[in-house]
Every structure is written in structure tokens, then in C-alpha cells.
Amino acid sequence: MEPMKKDLLIRGARIYLRPITADDTNMAVRWRNKPSVVENFIYRSPISRQDHEAWLADKVFKGLVHQFIICRNEDNVPLGSVYLQHFEEVHSRAESGVYLGEDQAYGKGIGTEAVRLLADYAFGTLGLHKLSARVLAYNKASIRLHEKAGYVQEAYLKEELFLNGKYEDLILFGAIAPHSDKEISVDDE
């Protein structure tokens, strides 16, 4: 996958998505280390500024991850992040993720709107066929968010992950591009 264009802006009704930059590092590290964010991530080790800078250099700036900052339209305040990763070009799919870093964003539909905008980008701009998302089964807010954003539960994996000294269930969600039920013909010539 190609890196995102630096001037890309995806605008919704209340929020917009803009590509993450190196200038977002302190904010992103603060968000990712917040206990309310960490408890809903599979990868739970604290991240440092150097970890985040390596993520940007090795993943985002090379196009292996498309990561956006969620900003409020009315005042440009950053609220969280959405991203696409694990691109599989042969299968035209990727994994999506979302986290809200500011408490003022919780319970207001911000995450749902961000995930919908990300899906529009993935299907419309990148031409992907399918998105997947992994959600810890106890994260009821993320389950509702994904359902409202058009994802459907595809699998429920019992005791899939060992986190904080106990096994946790994991739900796999999927979203298919609109109008993707058409057969694709391949010419072997």
C-alpha cells in the first residue's frame, strides 16, 4: 500500500480525519498510555516516544499503516485516532482500529462517525473489499460502536488472549464494501 497523501482530509458531520504526523507524537503517546485506552488494547505494554517514532517511520510513513487523527470540526481539537493496518492486497482487505484519547469524546458517537469515515476511505478511495476489527468481548462500547458503523460479528473466540493474568474472549467483526456482492471475472490471457 502506498503512504497516505499528507494533505488528505476526510470530513464528516462533526469530525474530520487527518493523517497523523510526527508533531502528534507527544499527544499519541499520552493517549496510548492512558489506562482507559490500554485496558481495551491487545498490545498493552507502555509505549515511549521512541516507540511511537519507530511506528511512524517503519509503518505509517512507508504506507504499511494508514493512521489518522480524529479532530472536531468546530475547533480542530484532536480527540483520538483511527487506523488501517495488516493490508492484504491479494484479498483486498485490512484491519481497522480506533481509540479515543480524550474523555470529552466518549459516548457522543465520535468513534462511530470516525469508523464510518475510515470505512468510506478504505472502500471508496483504497478500493478495499473487506475490513476486519478485533474487539475484546468486555468492551461493550466498542462492540456498539462497530455495530452502529456497519460491522457484523463474524466470530466469538473464547479465552483467546491472556491479558493481565487471565484469559479474555475476543470478538472478530467484519465489514464488506457496499455493492461487493458482484462476481469478479478474471481473464487468464
Side-chain angles (χ1 to χ4, degrees), residues 59-140:
K59 303 289 186 182
V60 176
F61 298 154
K62 291 181 179 176
L64 299 174
V65 172
H66 286 201
Q67 186 168 3
F68 297 90
I69 297 296
I70 305 163
C71 297
R72 203 165 40 206
N73 282 337
E74 66 188 50
D75 55 11
N76 301 314
V77 169
L79 300 170
S81 183
V82 288
Y83 53 91
L84 297 170
Q85 64 181 356
H86 305 302
F87 289 99
E88 294 179 20
E89 291 188 41
V90 169
H91 304 293
S92 189
R93 64 180 308 277
E95 179 182 330
S96 66
V98 58
Y99 63 91
L100 298 176
E102 300 297 335
D103 295 342
Q104 60 190 318
Y106 295 131
K108 295 181 172 53
I110 300 296
T112 301
E113 185 175 351
V115 169
R116 284 181 182 148
L117 291 172
L118 184 68
D120 289 347
Y121 167 74
F123 297 142
T125 302
L126 300 181
L128 296 179
H129 172 72
K130 183 175 183 178
L131 294 177
S132 63
R134 297 177 294 164
V135 177
L136 292 163
Y138 62 71
N139 188 346
K140 304 304 181 202

